[in-house]
Amino acid sequence: MKPTLQVTDLRTHIYLRSHVLKPVDGVSFNIAPGRILGLVGESGSGKSTVGYSVMRMIDPPGRVAGGSVEFNGTNILDLDDAEMRRLRGNRIAMVFQDPMMTLNPVLTIGTQMMETIAAHETIGKMQARDRCVHALELVGIPAPAERLKAYPHQMSGGMRQRVSIAIALLHEPGLIIADEPTTALDVTVQAQILSEVQKLAQDRGTAFLWITHDLSVVSGLADDVAVMYAGKIVEQGRTIDVLRNPQHPYTRGLIGSIPSGTAQGEMLTPIPGSAPNLTRLPQGCAFEPRCPHRLPQCASAVPPQSAGTGRALACFNPLVDAR
Amino acid sequence: MTQTPILELRKVAKSFAKGDDIVSRAARKLGLLAPNRPLHAVQESSLQIWSGEIVGLVGESGCGKSTLGRLAAGLIRPTCGAVLQDGKDVSTMTRSERRQAKLKTQMIFQNPYASLNPRAKIGQAVGEAARFHGLLDDGSGRTSYEDYVESQLARVGLDSGYKNRFPHQLSGGQRQRVAIARALAVKPHMLICDEVVSALDVSVQAQILNLFIELRDRLNLTYLFVSHDLHVIRYLSDRVVVMYLGQVVEEAPAEQIYRHPNHPYTRALLAEVPRLGEGKSQFTAIKGEMPSPLDPPKGCPFHPRCIHATARCAVEAPAIVEIAPGHRSACHLNQMSH
């Protein structure tokens, strides 16, 4: 099937007076309709910047410096602003971590949802209202017609996040980019939202780019996973393959750091050190200073992306038999 | 287990009342406004912590777990019930006894950036309390302030150069290490950790969790670990206490509660934890959300969401009873099966 989103060699750089930061440096992946790709990484790895780049919401001094972002076959980096505005929020939607920041506190959610519809279409008020009710229903909000009159502060965190997902759904987008949408929520509420997302992908063929730091969420939710480190995807493939048999030392380090991966009483095997500073990246592989499997060449050359069968890896010394 | 627990909360409850301004007070007198209802953050809960133990306290946001942690740390006073330290009621202690008792129980918070003074150097943050309380002398002879601070930093894996830095020059993981060093600098017996690793990246989180285990073994510490993260709690705890809407609903040794959860809430909560490497899973959600603690349901707090709820659950609150050695649960279903 033709992918909904195809990102090739995306580079997003920030041009500062004294130097250039590269939060996204050569990222490639694609998402087919109805598939969920989990983009995983720690803070500062550039995973959110990928999402913003796809939405073309990078502000100066940052700028997309190269690569292409093809959405249903058109490179959206070539679109002019008006064309992009027609796409954004309409065909591609984004959901953020904190719904209290996304929603306007002084407008009812009904007003905000209608506004979203009016921004892209001219339809009757009643029809628009029906569509809002339907979107709220889809994300599992009880009594949606009455909820339209509610203000954001009258809802719980989980409800608010559902509303922001409902807003993203209003125009039945082909792609939804979700940036840590369940991180602030409790597990029971998170489970409710994840089950709605799975249904949406399955029933409507919506593609999801699910940005998160939580490998265990990705494990249960995503079809594919891409692991980012210091602006590059170090490993990607089918979720089950990558998590059961990680080949990049960083992926294995991440898995070893999660308490659910180890038995009680056993020590965790954390990755030594902390994530590199983007202003002082090592010359070779960015993970080299923390890597237990480094080779001499890792310090001097950047490992290229090797694409296998649905599996890509950037490492000179991959783990053959993990665990 | 026959000695006195290092810390005991005996039927403590804590409610908060919203302060009234003059207008609403007048309005209430005239009957224009509903009476001021207190918020019951914690309702009659008991908890015993034995020396050397790691107790995990889990629950969703708003269940009262942080309030219970603060009660245990002596930061707030219970509305009713008693907090006992080494068998002595804290409220009947003399001032100097209470001061000693407070030093013995230290608390560490979620966000080390908020809990460290941004204008104080790390060395000052770590050493000041110990100097004030005259704890610099460790018995082996005179210790200088500088040496003491350095030894405290070394214990949490920071080298002595950090004492001259400011909090903003440190990463999140390093700041949390400083917060731990500061808590340990006054030689406590017990640490109460409120979501201490939630704000950290997983690889750093693992370093800090390992540090906690190392320190416990080295210093014979006791922990009350408050967290919403069920993985973290399972990894660390000897015993797990589950709270829901201000009440302790289940309490058991860690492996027991994760293998054989008894309370329907615990079961639902554990079922929804995403696990690694189990492949794509179907998420089955508990219906509804936690009710507001301002308006808790009658009877069992969980009954509106419980799939096993009976008529009895809606009227009568279940008492927490022992169902197996060391395993206590508050559910009517346990009595029916007997």
Side-chain angles (χ1 to χ4, degrees), chain A residues 42-43 156 159 186-188 190-192 194-195 198 216 219-221 223 240 244 254 257 259-260 264 266-268 270-271 273 290, chain B residues 60-61 201-203 206-207 209-210 231 234-235 237 255 269 272 274-283 285-286 288-289 305:
Chain A
E42 296 184 272
S43 39
S156 66
M159 281 295 169
D186 283 317
V187 272
T188 58
Q190 170 172 292
Q192 292 168 350
L194 296 184
S195 79
Q198 281 181 334
S216 15
S219 166
L221 174 79
D223 303 287
I240 196 150
R244 287 231 176 114
L254 271 186
S257 300
S260 70
Q264 205 243 349
E266 212 175 291
M267 290 295 259
L268 295 171
I271 308 170
R290 301 173 77 186
Chain B
E60 298 181 272
S61 45
D201 271 323
V202 268
S203 69
Q207 295 170 6
L209 289 179
N210 280 353
H231 291 322
R234 178 175 199 170
Y235 174 62
S237 310
E255 279 312 291
L269 195 65
E272 285 173 19
R275 276 178 199 82
L276 263 189
E278 288 191 352
K280 206 165 166 174
S281 47
Q282 213 63 57
F283 293 96
I286 329 185
E289 296 191 16
R305 301 171 74 187

Short mmCIF file of all heavy atoms in Angstrom, two decimals, chain A residues 42-43 156 159 186-188 190-192 194-195 198 216 219-221 223 240 244 254 257 259-260 264 266-268 270-271 273 290, chain B residues 60-61 201-203 206-207 209-210 231 234-235 237 255 269 272 274-283 285-286 288-289 305:
data_model
loop_
_atom_site.label_atom_id
_atom_site.label_comp_id
_atom_site.label_asym_id
_atom_site.label_seq_id
_atom_site.Cartn_x
_atom_site.Cartn_y
_atom_site.Cartn_z
N GLU A 42 14.54 9.80 24.21
CA GLU A 42 14.55 10.51 25.47
C GLU A 42 14.44 12.01 25.20
O GLU A 42 14.49 12.43 24.04
CB GLU A 42 15.84 10.19 26.22
CG GLU A 42 15.91 8.73 26.59
CD GLU A 42 17.15 8.43 27.42
OE1 GLU A 42 18.19 8.14 26.84
OE2 GLU A 42 17.04 8.51 28.64
N SER A 43 14.32 12.80 26.25
CA SER A 43 14.17 14.23 26.00
C SER A 43 15.42 14.76 25.31
O SER A 43 16.53 14.39 25.65
CB SER A 43 13.88 14.99 27.29
OG SER A 43 14.63 14.50 28.35
N SER A 156 -12.14 16.71 33.27
CA SER A 156 -10.92 16.14 33.83
C SER A 156 -9.83 16.10 32.75
O SER A 156 -10.11 16.29 31.57
CB SER A 156 -11.20 14.74 34.33
OG SER A 156 -11.51 13.90 33.25
N MET A 159 -10.59 13.68 29.95
CA MET A 159 -11.66 14.18 29.08
C MET A 159 -11.13 15.26 28.14
O MET A 159 -11.46 15.30 26.97
CB MET A 159 -12.79 14.79 29.93
CG MET A 159 -13.68 13.76 30.54
SD MET A 159 -14.59 12.88 29.24
CE MET A 159 -15.27 11.55 30.19
N ASP A 186 -3.33 9.28 33.82
CA ASP A 186 -3.22 8.07 34.62
C ASP A 186 -3.35 6.83 33.75
O ASP A 186 -3.96 6.88 32.68
CB ASP A 186 -4.35 8.05 35.66
CG ASP A 186 -4.05 8.97 36.81
OD1 ASP A 186 -2.90 8.96 37.25
OD2 ASP A 186 -4.95 9.68 37.25
N VAL A 187 -2.84 5.69 34.25
CA VAL A 187 -2.86 4.48 33.43
C VAL A 187 -4.25 4.06 32.98
O VAL A 187 -4.44 3.62 31.85
CB VAL A 187 -2.21 3.24 34.11
CG1 VAL A 187 -0.75 3.21 33.81
CG2 VAL A 187 -2.51 3.17 35.56
N THR A 188 -5.24 4.20 33.85
CA THR A 188 -6.56 3.75 33.45
C THR A 188 -7.12 4.63 32.33
O THR A 188 -7.73 4.14 31.39
CB THR A 188 -7.54 3.74 34.64
OG1 THR A 188 -7.61 5.04 35.18
CG2 THR A 188 -7.10 2.78 35.71
N GLN A 190 -5.23 6.43 30.30
CA GLN A 190 -4.37 6.17 29.16
C GLN A 190 -4.87 4.96 28.38
O GLN A 190 -4.96 4.98 27.16
CB GLN A 190 -2.95 5.92 29.66
CG GLN A 190 -2.01 5.41 28.59
CD GLN A 190 -0.58 5.36 29.09
OE1 GLN A 190 0.04 6.40 29.32
NE2 GLN A 190 -0.05 4.18 29.27
N ALA A 191 -5.23 3.91 29.11
CA ALA A 191 -5.71 2.70 28.45
C ALA A 191 -6.97 3.00 27.65
O ALA A 191 -7.14 2.50 26.52
CB ALA A 191 -5.99 1.62 29.49
N GLN A 192 -7.85 3.84 28.20
CA GLN A 192 -9.08 4.19 27.47
C GLN A 192 -8.72 4.89 26.16
O GLN A 192 -9.27 4.57 25.11
CB GLN A 192 -9.95 5.12 28.33
CG GLN A 192 -10.54 4.44 29.54
CD GLN A 192 -11.16 5.42 30.52
OE1 GLN A 192 -11.01 6.62 30.41
NE2 GLN A 192 -11.86 4.88 31.52
N LEU A 194 -5.81 4.87 24.48
CA LEU A 194 -5.09 4.00 23.55
C LEU A 194 -6.05 3.06 22.82
O LEU A 194 -5.88 2.77 21.64
CB LEU A 194 -4.01 3.20 24.29
CG LEU A 194 -2.88 4.01 24.91
CD1 LEU A 194 -1.84 3.09 25.52
CD2 LEU A 194 -2.22 4.92 23.90
N SER A 195 -7.08 2.59 23.53
CA SER A 195 -8.00 1.68 22.86
C SER A 195 -8.81 2.42 21.79
O SER A 195 -9.10 1.88 20.73
CB SER A 195 -8.90 0.95 23.86
OG SER A 195 -9.94 1.78 24.29
N GLN A 198 -6.47 2.80 18.74
CA GLN A 198 -6.36 1.56 17.96
C GLN A 198 -7.58 1.36 17.08
O GLN A 198 -7.48 0.96 15.92
CB GLN A 198 -6.21 0.37 18.90
CG GLN A 198 -4.81 0.22 19.43
CD GLN A 198 -4.66 -0.98 20.34
OE1 GLN A 198 -5.63 -1.41 20.96
NE2 GLN A 198 -3.45 -1.50 20.44
N SER A 216 6.95 1.17 26.84
CA SER A 216 5.92 0.17 27.12
C SER A 216 4.60 0.55 26.47
O SER A 216 3.83 -0.32 26.09
CB SER A 216 5.77 -0.08 28.62
OG SER A 216 6.36 0.90 29.39
N SER A 219 4.98 -0.46 22.89
CA SER A 219 4.94 -1.91 22.78
C SER A 219 3.52 -2.43 22.59
O SER A 219 3.29 -3.33 21.80
CB SER A 219 5.55 -2.50 24.06
OG SER A 219 5.26 -3.85 24.16
N GLY A 220 2.59 -1.85 23.31
CA GLY A 220 1.23 -2.34 23.20
C GLY A 220 0.44 -1.70 22.07
O GLY A 220 -0.57 -2.23 21.62
N LEU A 221 0.88 -0.53 21.61
CA LEU A 221 0.07 0.25 20.70
C LEU A 221 0.54 0.20 19.25
O LEU A 221 -0.26 0.03 18.32
CB LEU A 221 0.06 1.72 21.17
CG LEU A 221 -0.63 2.72 20.27
CD1 LEU A 221 -2.13 2.64 20.46
CD2 LEU A 221 -0.15 4.13 20.54
N ASP A 223 2.43 -0.45 15.57
CA ASP A 223 2.81 -1.54 14.66
C ASP A 223 4.31 -1.52 14.43
O ASP A 223 4.96 -2.55 14.38
CB ASP A 223 2.11 -1.35 13.31
CG ASP A 223 0.62 -1.27 13.47
OD1 ASP A 223 0.01 -2.30 13.74
OD2 ASP A 223 0.06 -0.16 13.36
N ILE A 240 7.40 -5.52 17.51
CA ILE A 240 7.66 -6.77 18.22
C ILE A 240 9.09 -7.26 17.97
O ILE A 240 9.76 -7.73 18.89
CB ILE A 240 6.58 -7.80 17.86
CG1 ILE A 240 6.60 -8.94 18.87
CG2 ILE A 240 6.70 -8.31 16.43
CD1 ILE A 240 5.25 -9.56 19.04
N ARG A 244 11.74 -7.28 21.06
CA ARG A 244 12.16 -8.63 21.49
C ARG A 244 13.63 -8.86 21.18
O ARG A 244 14.31 -9.57 21.89
CB ARG A 244 11.32 -9.69 20.75
CG ARG A 244 9.91 -9.75 21.27
CD ARG A 244 9.51 -11.18 21.61
NE ARG A 244 8.18 -11.15 22.20
CZ ARG A 244 7.12 -11.68 21.63
NH1 ARG A 244 7.24 -12.31 20.47
NH2 ARG A 244 5.94 -11.61 22.21
N LEU A 254 17.85 1.11 26.60
CA LEU A 254 16.54 1.65 26.98
C LEU A 254 15.68 0.55 27.59
O LEU A 254 15.04 0.74 28.62
CB LEU A 254 15.81 2.20 25.75
CG LEU A 254 16.03 3.63 25.34
CD1 LEU A 254 15.09 3.98 24.20
CD2 LEU A 254 15.78 4.58 26.51
N SER A 257 16.61 -0.40 30.99
CA SER A 257 16.37 0.63 32.00
C SER A 257 14.95 0.61 32.52
O SER A 257 14.63 1.31 33.47
CB SER A 257 16.62 2.01 31.41
OG SER A 257 17.94 2.12 30.96
N PRO A 259 11.90 -0.83 34.44
CA PRO A 259 11.73 -1.81 35.51
C PRO A 259 10.90 -3.03 35.10
O PRO A 259 11.10 -4.11 35.63
CB PRO A 259 11.03 -1.02 36.61
CG PRO A 259 11.41 0.38 36.36
CD PRO A 259 11.54 0.51 34.88
N SER A 260 9.99 -2.90 34.13
CA SER A 260 9.15 -4.05 33.81
C SER A 260 9.94 -5.10 33.05
O SER A 260 9.53 -6.25 32.95
CB SER A 260 7.95 -3.63 32.98
OG SER A 260 8.38 -3.26 31.70
N GLN A 264 11.88 -8.54 39.93
CA GLN A 264 12.04 -7.78 41.16
C GLN A 264 13.30 -8.22 41.88
O GLN A 264 13.63 -9.40 41.92
CB GLN A 264 10.82 -7.98 42.06
CG GLN A 264 10.61 -6.83 43.01
CD GLN A 264 10.75 -7.24 44.45
OE1 GLN A 264 10.80 -8.40 44.76
NE2 GLN A 264 10.82 -6.25 45.31
N GLU A 266 16.29 -7.79 40.99
CA GLU A 266 17.41 -7.75 40.06
C GLU A 266 17.73 -6.28 39.80
O GLU A 266 16.83 -5.47 39.70
CB GLU A 266 16.96 -8.41 38.76
CG GLU A 266 18.00 -9.14 37.98
CD GLU A 266 17.35 -9.85 36.81
OE1 GLU A 266 16.60 -10.82 37.03
OE2 GLU A 266 17.54 -9.39 35.68
N MET A 267 19.02 -5.95 39.64
CA MET A 267 19.35 -4.56 39.38
C MET A 267 19.03 -4.21 37.92
O MET A 267 19.17 -5.06 37.04
CB MET A 267 20.83 -4.31 39.63
CG MET A 267 21.23 -4.35 41.09
SD MET A 267 20.47 -3.04 42.08
CE MET A 267 21.83 -1.88 42.19
N LEU A 268 18.62 -2.97 37.71
CA LEU A 268 18.43 -2.50 36.34
C LEU A 268 19.80 -2.29 35.71
O LEU A 268 20.78 -2.07 36.41
CB LEU A 268 17.69 -1.17 36.35
CG LEU A 268 16.27 -1.18 36.87
CD1 LEU A 268 15.78 0.25 37.01
CD2 LEU A 268 15.38 -1.94 35.92
N PRO A 270 21.17 0.37 33.69
CA PRO A 270 20.99 1.66 33.04
C PRO A 270 22.12 1.95 32.06
O PRO A 270 23.17 1.32 32.11
CB PRO A 270 21.01 2.65 34.20
CG PRO A 270 21.77 1.97 35.27
CD PRO A 270 21.63 0.50 35.07
N ILE A 271 21.84 2.92 31.18
CA ILE A 271 22.89 3.38 30.28
C ILE A 271 23.74 4.36 31.06
O ILE A 271 23.20 5.29 31.67
CB ILE A 271 22.27 4.09 29.06
CG1 ILE A 271 21.22 3.19 28.41
CG2 ILE A 271 23.33 4.49 28.07
CD1 ILE A 271 20.39 3.89 27.37
N GLY A 273 26.07 7.56 32.02
CA GLY A 273 26.12 8.92 31.48
C GLY A 273 24.75 9.46 31.17
O GLY A 273 23.74 8.89 31.56
N ARG A 290 28.72 6.50 25.43
CA ARG A 290 27.97 5.75 26.44
C ARG A 290 27.87 4.27 26.08
O ARG A 290 27.25 3.50 26.81
CB ARG A 290 26.55 6.32 26.55
CG ARG A 290 26.48 7.79 26.91
CD ARG A 290 25.07 8.32 26.82
NE ARG A 290 24.25 7.92 27.95
CZ ARG A 290 22.94 8.15 28.03
NH1 ARG A 290 22.32 8.77 27.06
NH2 ARG A 290 22.25 7.77 29.09
N GLU B 60 -3.81 6.46 41.42
CA GLU B 60 -3.88 7.44 40.34
C GLU B 60 -3.88 8.84 40.92
O GLU B 60 -4.01 9.02 42.13
CB GLU B 60 -5.16 7.20 39.53
CG GLU B 60 -5.17 5.85 38.88
CD GLU B 60 -6.43 5.65 38.07
OE1 GLU B 60 -7.43 5.19 38.63
OE2 GLU B 60 -6.41 5.99 36.89
N SER B 61 -3.77 9.83 40.05
CA SER B 61 -3.71 11.19 40.59
C SER B 61 -5.01 11.52 41.31
O SER B 61 -6.09 11.15 40.87
CB SER B 61 -3.43 12.20 39.47
OG SER B 61 -4.23 11.94 38.37
N ASP B 201 14.23 10.92 32.44
CA ASP B 201 14.26 10.02 31.30
C ASP B 201 14.56 8.60 31.76
O ASP B 201 15.23 8.40 32.76
CB ASP B 201 15.38 10.45 30.34
CG ASP B 201 14.88 11.45 29.34
OD1 ASP B 201 13.73 11.31 28.90
OD2 ASP B 201 15.63 12.38 29.00
N VAL B 202 14.07 7.62 31.00
CA VAL B 202 14.20 6.24 31.46
C VAL B 202 15.62 5.82 31.78
O VAL B 202 15.85 5.14 32.78
CB VAL B 202 13.61 5.19 30.49
CG1 VAL B 202 12.18 4.91 30.85
CG2 VAL B 202 13.77 5.58 29.06
N SER B 203 16.59 6.22 30.95
CA SER B 203 17.95 5.73 31.22
C SER B 203 18.48 6.34 32.50
O SER B 203 19.19 5.70 33.27
CB SER B 203 18.86 6.02 30.03
OG SER B 203 19.12 7.39 29.92
N ALA B 206 16.66 4.79 35.64
CA ALA B 206 17.23 3.52 36.08
C ALA B 206 18.45 3.75 36.96
O ALA B 206 18.64 3.06 37.96
CB ALA B 206 17.59 2.67 34.87
N GLN B 207 19.27 4.75 36.61
CA GLN B 207 20.44 5.05 37.45
C GLN B 207 20.01 5.44 38.86
O GLN B 207 20.58 5.00 39.85
CB GLN B 207 21.25 6.21 36.86
CG GLN B 207 21.89 5.91 35.52
CD GLN B 207 22.46 7.17 34.87
OE1 GLN B 207 22.48 8.23 35.48
NE2 GLN B 207 22.93 7.05 33.64
N LEU B 209 17.11 4.80 40.39
CA LEU B 209 16.49 3.67 41.09
C LEU B 209 17.56 2.75 41.67
O LEU B 209 17.45 2.30 42.81
CB LEU B 209 15.58 2.89 40.15
CG LEU B 209 14.28 3.58 39.74
CD1 LEU B 209 13.49 2.70 38.78
CD2 LEU B 209 13.44 3.93 40.95
N ASN B 210 18.59 2.49 40.88
CA ASN B 210 19.67 1.66 41.39
C ASN B 210 20.37 2.32 42.57
O ASN B 210 20.75 1.65 43.52
CB ASN B 210 20.68 1.35 40.28
CG ASN B 210 20.21 0.23 39.39
OD1 ASN B 210 19.19 -0.41 39.67
ND2 ASN B 210 20.94 -0.02 38.32
N HIS B 231 5.43 -0.02 37.33
CA HIS B 231 6.68 -0.74 37.06
C HIS B 231 7.72 -0.39 38.11
O HIS B 231 8.40 -1.26 38.64
CB HIS B 231 7.26 -0.34 35.70
CG HIS B 231 6.45 -0.81 34.54
ND1 HIS B 231 5.83 -2.02 34.54
CD2 HIS B 231 6.15 -0.22 33.36
CE1 HIS B 231 5.19 -2.17 33.38
NE2 HIS B 231 5.37 -1.07 32.65
N ARG B 234 6.91 -1.95 41.45
CA ARG B 234 7.17 -3.38 41.51
C ARG B 234 8.66 -3.66 41.64
O ARG B 234 9.09 -4.53 42.38
CB ARG B 234 6.65 -4.05 40.23
CG ARG B 234 6.95 -5.53 40.24
CD ARG B 234 6.35 -6.23 39.07
NE ARG B 234 6.28 -7.65 39.38
CZ ARG B 234 5.63 -8.52 38.65
NH1 ARG B 234 4.99 -8.14 37.59
NH2 ARG B 234 5.61 -9.78 38.99
N TYR B 235 9.44 -2.88 40.91
CA TYR B 235 10.87 -3.08 40.92
C TYR B 235 11.47 -2.83 42.30
O TYR B 235 12.34 -3.56 42.76
CB TYR B 235 11.51 -2.14 39.89
CG TYR B 235 13.01 -2.16 39.91
CD1 TYR B 235 13.70 -3.32 39.61
CD2 TYR B 235 13.72 -1.02 40.23
CE1 TYR B 235 15.07 -3.35 39.63
CE2 TYR B 235 15.10 -1.04 40.25
CZ TYR B 235 15.78 -2.20 39.95
OH TYR B 235 17.13 -2.21 39.98
N SER B 237 9.72 -2.25 45.49
CA SER B 237 9.06 -2.44 46.78
C SER B 237 9.11 -3.86 47.31
O SER B 237 9.09 -4.83 46.56
CB SER B 237 7.59 -2.03 46.67
OG SER B 237 7.50 -0.76 46.09
N GLU B 255 5.28 -9.20 45.36
CA GLU B 255 5.06 -10.27 44.39
C GLU B 255 3.64 -10.81 44.50
O GLU B 255 2.99 -11.10 43.51
CB GLU B 255 6.07 -11.40 44.59
CG GLU B 255 7.41 -11.11 43.94
CD GLU B 255 7.28 -10.60 42.50
OE1 GLU B 255 6.89 -11.40 41.63
OE2 GLU B 255 7.55 -9.41 42.25
N LEU B 269 -6.29 -2.02 37.51
CA LEU B 269 -5.12 -1.15 37.37
C LEU B 269 -3.95 -1.94 36.77
O LEU B 269 -3.29 -1.48 35.84
CB LEU B 269 -4.75 -0.64 38.75
CG LEU B 269 -3.79 0.53 38.86
CD1 LEU B 269 -4.42 1.76 38.25
CD2 LEU B 269 -3.46 0.81 40.31
N GLU B 272 -4.10 -2.81 33.07
CA GLU B 272 -3.95 -1.74 32.09
C GLU B 272 -2.55 -1.20 31.96
O GLU B 272 -2.30 -0.30 31.19
CB GLU B 272 -4.92 -0.61 32.44
CG GLU B 272 -6.30 -1.05 32.07
CD GLU B 272 -7.35 -0.10 32.53
OE1 GLU B 272 -7.00 1.05 32.81
OE2 GLU B 272 -8.50 -0.51 32.60
N PRO B 274 0.77 -0.98 30.38
CA PRO B 274 1.37 -1.49 29.16
C PRO B 274 2.65 -2.24 29.51
O PRO B 274 3.42 -1.80 30.35
CB PRO B 274 1.68 -0.24 28.35
CG PRO B 274 0.99 0.88 29.03
CD PRO B 274 0.80 0.48 30.45
N ARG B 275 2.83 -3.39 28.91
CA ARG B 275 4.04 -4.16 29.19
C ARG B 275 4.90 -4.25 27.94
O ARG B 275 4.41 -4.21 26.83
CB ARG B 275 3.66 -5.56 29.64
CG ARG B 275 3.37 -5.60 31.12
CD ARG B 275 2.95 -6.98 31.54
NE ARG B 275 2.26 -6.90 32.81
CZ ARG B 275 0.99 -6.57 32.93
NH1 ARG B 275 0.28 -6.33 31.86
NH2 ARG B 275 0.42 -6.48 34.11
N LEU B 276 6.17 -4.41 28.19
CA LEU B 276 7.12 -4.52 27.09
C LEU B 276 7.05 -5.90 26.46
O LEU B 276 6.89 -6.89 27.14
CB LEU B 276 8.53 -4.34 27.63
CG LEU B 276 9.17 -2.98 27.52
CD1 LEU B 276 10.61 -3.11 27.92
CD2 LEU B 276 9.07 -2.44 26.11
N GLY B 277 7.22 -5.92 25.15
CA GLY B 277 7.49 -7.18 24.48
C GLY B 277 6.36 -8.18 24.46
O GLY B 277 6.57 -9.36 24.22
N GLU B 278 5.14 -7.74 24.75
CA GLU B 278 4.06 -8.69 24.67
C GLU B 278 3.30 -8.54 23.37
O GLU B 278 2.24 -9.11 23.18
CB GLU B 278 3.10 -8.51 25.86
CG GLU B 278 3.74 -9.00 27.13
CD GLU B 278 2.78 -9.11 28.27
OE1 GLU B 278 1.63 -8.66 28.12
OE2 GLU B 278 3.18 -9.64 29.31
N GLY B 279 3.85 -7.73 22.50
CA GLY B 279 3.18 -7.54 21.22
C GLY B 279 2.01 -6.60 21.36
O GLY B 279 1.70 -6.12 22.44
N LYS B 280 1.37 -6.34 20.24
CA LYS B 280 0.26 -5.41 20.23
C LYS B 280 -0.86 -5.94 21.11
O LYS B 280 -1.26 -7.09 21.00
CB LYS B 280 -0.23 -5.23 18.80
CG LYS B 280 -0.90 -3.90 18.60
CD LYS B 280 -1.05 -3.58 17.14
CE LYS B 280 -2.03 -2.42 17.04
NZ LYS B 280 -2.18 -1.91 15.71
N SER B 281 -1.30 -5.13 22.03
CA SER B 281 -2.31 -5.64 22.95
C SER B 281 -3.61 -4.87 22.78
O SER B 281 -3.64 -3.75 22.28
CB SER B 281 -1.81 -5.53 24.39
OG SER B 281 -1.27 -4.26 24.62
N GLN B 282 -4.65 -5.49 23.21
CA GLN B 282 -5.94 -4.82 23.21
C GLN B 282 -6.07 -4.15 24.57
O GLN B 282 -5.91 -4.80 25.60
CB GLN B 282 -7.04 -5.87 23.03
CG GLN B 282 -8.24 -5.37 22.27
CD GLN B 282 -7.88 -4.96 20.83
OE1 GLN B 282 -7.37 -5.77 20.10
NE2 GLN B 282 -8.16 -3.73 20.46
N PHE B 283 -6.29 -2.86 24.57
CA PHE B 283 -6.44 -2.19 25.85
C PHE B 283 -7.89 -2.31 26.30
O PHE B 283 -8.81 -2.01 25.56
CB PHE B 283 -6.05 -0.72 25.73
CG PHE B 283 -4.60 -0.53 25.45
CD1 PHE B 283 -4.14 -0.36 24.16
CD2 PHE B 283 -3.68 -0.56 26.48
CE1 PHE B 283 -2.79 -0.21 23.90
CE2 PHE B 283 -2.33 -0.42 26.23
CZ PHE B 283 -1.88 -0.23 24.94
N ALA B 285 -10.35 -0.95 28.97
CA ALA B 285 -10.38 0.14 29.92
C ALA B 285 -11.41 -0.11 31.01
O ALA B 285 -12.46 -0.68 30.76
CB ALA B 285 -10.70 1.42 29.19
N ILE B 286 -11.08 0.35 32.25
CA ILE B 286 -12.13 0.41 33.27
C ILE B 286 -13.03 1.55 32.83
O ILE B 286 -12.54 2.59 32.41
CB ILE B 286 -11.64 0.84 34.68
CG1 ILE B 286 -10.22 0.42 34.99
CG2 ILE B 286 -12.60 0.39 35.73
CD1 ILE B 286 -9.83 0.77 36.44
N GLY B 288 -15.42 4.76 32.99
CA GLY B 288 -15.55 5.94 33.82
C GLY B 288 -14.22 6.45 34.36
O GLY B 288 -13.16 5.98 34.01
N GLU B 289 -14.33 7.45 35.22
CA GLU B 289 -13.15 8.03 35.81
C GLU B 289 -13.30 8.10 37.32
O GLU B 289 -14.38 7.87 37.84
CB GLU B 289 -12.97 9.46 35.28
CG GLU B 289 -12.72 9.44 33.81
CD GLU B 289 -12.27 10.78 33.30
OE1 GLU B 289 -11.88 11.62 34.12
OE2 GLU B 289 -12.33 10.97 32.09
N ARG B 305 -17.60 2.02 39.34
CA ARG B 305 -16.81 1.58 38.19
C ARG B 305 -16.53 0.08 38.23
O ARG B 305 -15.91 -0.46 37.33
CB ARG B 305 -15.46 2.32 38.18
CG ARG B 305 -15.59 3.82 38.11
CD ARG B 305 -14.25 4.50 38.32
NE ARG B 305 -13.40 4.36 37.15
CZ ARG B 305 -12.12 4.74 37.14
NH1 ARG B 305 -11.58 5.24 38.22
NH2 ARG B 305 -11.40 4.60 36.05
#
